[in-house]
């Protein structure tokens, strides 16, 4: 399994920003067709860009795929209306489709929760997505080993005060786009953060950090990408 490095993510984001800047230069010199400019250089293009950055920099591809899909739909709907005067816009397709998709997501979430309860599955690995919503999750594990979580136009709070970190180095991948997280952790956890933030931040706001009682090396690396969002790590 590949482990993403902060340098890899920074390079990817840098390449995308250079490409975006070049595209704006082409627009300013009228070197891009007007129809392409009207379709892409607006809020739809911003969502598409965020989705591409998310897919390029995170192992969890679902949030990025959703944003790319939504942006592509609106771009296509605008093109079809401008060229053929056929309305496949929000009232006819998007909102009904969104309700159907939300229903399937809720049904699938209930199945996953039921399987976890039936099997007694622990939270040794966190795997959570928050899209236009969120909540509070109590993470209870005797051998927490990281995982991944995302927040897109939503957020979540993870209470890990009753958990223990497994021996070794572990990674928790995070993605926040117009959303964020709160991680409540035990005071003796060693945490190292490698988060790329654009118009946002993930801050360590722990009031105190206690030195681990044993010599065993236990480290949680929090890595990821934050855009117009963020969060905090804290304890009581």
């Amino acid at each position: 399994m590949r482990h993403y490095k902060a340098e890899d993510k920074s390079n990817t984001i840098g390449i995308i920003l250079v490409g975006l800047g070049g595209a704006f230069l082409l627009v300013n010199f009228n070197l891009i067709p007007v129809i392409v400019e009207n379709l892409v250089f607006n809020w739809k293009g911003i969502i598409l860009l965020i989705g591409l950055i998310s897919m390029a920099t995170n192992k969890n591809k679902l949030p990025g795929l959703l944003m790319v899909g939504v942006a592509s739909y609106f771009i296509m709907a605008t093109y079809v209306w401008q060229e053929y005067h056929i309305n496949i816009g929000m009232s006819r397709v998007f909102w009904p489709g969104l309700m159907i998709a939300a229903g399937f997501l809720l049904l699938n979430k209930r199945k996953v929760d039921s399987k976890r309860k039936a099997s007694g599955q622990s939270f040794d690995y966190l795997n959570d997505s928050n899209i236009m919503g969120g909540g509070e999750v109590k993470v209870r594990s005797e051998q927490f080993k990281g995982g991944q979580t995302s927040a897109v136009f939503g957020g979540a709070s993870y209470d890990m005060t009753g958990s223990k970190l497994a021996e070794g180095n572990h990674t928790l991948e995070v993605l926040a786009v117009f959303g964020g997280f709160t991680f409540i952790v035990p005071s003796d956890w060693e945490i190292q953060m490698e988060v790329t933030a654009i118009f946002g931040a993930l801050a360590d706001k722990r009031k105190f950090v206690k030195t681990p009682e044993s010599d065993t090396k236990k480290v949680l690396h929090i890595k990821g990408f934050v855009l117009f969002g963020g969060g905090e790590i804290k304890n009581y």
Side-chain angles (χ1 to χ4, degrees):
M1 182 181 294
R2 180 184 176 186
H3 295 282
Y4 290 82
K5 296 181 179 179
E7 292 82 359
D8 295 338
K9 296 180 180 181
S10 298
N11 290 339
T12 301
I13 295 172
I15 292 172
I16 292 175
L17 291 177
V18 169
L20 182 63
F24 274 113
L25 279 176
L26 294 176
V27 169
N28 292 337
F29 285 97
N30 299 319
L31 297 176
I32 289 182
V34 175
I35 186 171
V36 175
E37 180 181 346
N38 292 336
L39 288 174
V40 178
F41 285 83
N42 47 43
W43 64 270
K44 298 183 284 289
I46 293 174
I47 294 178
L48 180 64
L49 176 64
I50 294 172
L52 292 174
I53 292 175
S54 170
M55 292 176 62
T57 57
N58 290 276
K59 291 189 291 184
N60 185 5
K61 308 298 183 184
L62 179 59
L65 283 172
L66 288 174
M67 286 183 282
V68 169
V70 169
S72 299
Y73 162 77
F74 281 112
I75 291 172
M76 181 182 66
T78 303
Y79 176 78
V80 170
W81 174 251
Q82 290 179 352
E83 295 296 316
Y84 305 104
H85 298 288
I86 299 175
N87 183 8
I88 59 170
M90 296 183 67
S91 60
R92 285 197 170 188
V93 178
F94 182 76
W95 288 119
L98 184 62
M99 285 189 284
I100 292 171
F104 276 115
L105 286 174
L106 288 174
L107 289 172
N108 184 66
K109 182 173 174 32
R110 292 191 65 180
K111 288 181 180 179
V112 172
D113 290 342
S114 298
K115 288 181 180 179
R116 173 178 286 171
K117 291 178 181 178
S119 63
Q121 181 181 354
S122 69
F123 278 100
D124 289 351
Y125 291 95
L126 180 64
N127 188 2
D128 195 29
S129 296
N130 303 276
I131 301 173
M132 293 186 289
E136 297 182 1
V137 179
K138 291 186 180 297
V139 180
R140 297 293 180 263
S141 171
E142 293 295 318
Q143 293 287 318
F144 185 72
K145 300 176 182 179
Q148 59 184 16
T149 181
S150 59
V152 180
F153 293 101
S157 175
Y158 301 98
D159 184 354
M160 305 177 180
T161 52
S163 297
K164 297 180 180 179
L165 193 59
E167 182 178 350
N169 291 275
H170 308 285
T171 300
L172 177 61
E173 292 276 352
V174 300
L175 167 68
V177 180
F178 293 99
F181 311 99
T182 297
F183 298 103
I184 305 171
V185 301
S187 59
D188 61 347
W189 279 21
E190 182 178 346
I191 296 178
Q192 297 180 7
M193 292 196 299
E194 301 174 18
V195 177
T196 300
I198 300 176
F199 299 109
L202 181 62
D204 189 346
K205 295 185 177 180
R206 289 178 289 175
K207 295 180 179 179
F208 58 92
V209 178
K210 185 169 61 175
T211 303
E213 296 179 357
S214 65
D215 295 332
T216 304
K217 193 67 173 179
K218 301 178 181 180
V219 183
L220 178 64
H221 300 270
I222 298 181
K223 303 180 179 181
F225 176 68
V226 172
L227 178 65
F228 290 107
E232 60 183 9
I233 303 169
K234 63 182 183 179
N235 55 20
Y236 298 117

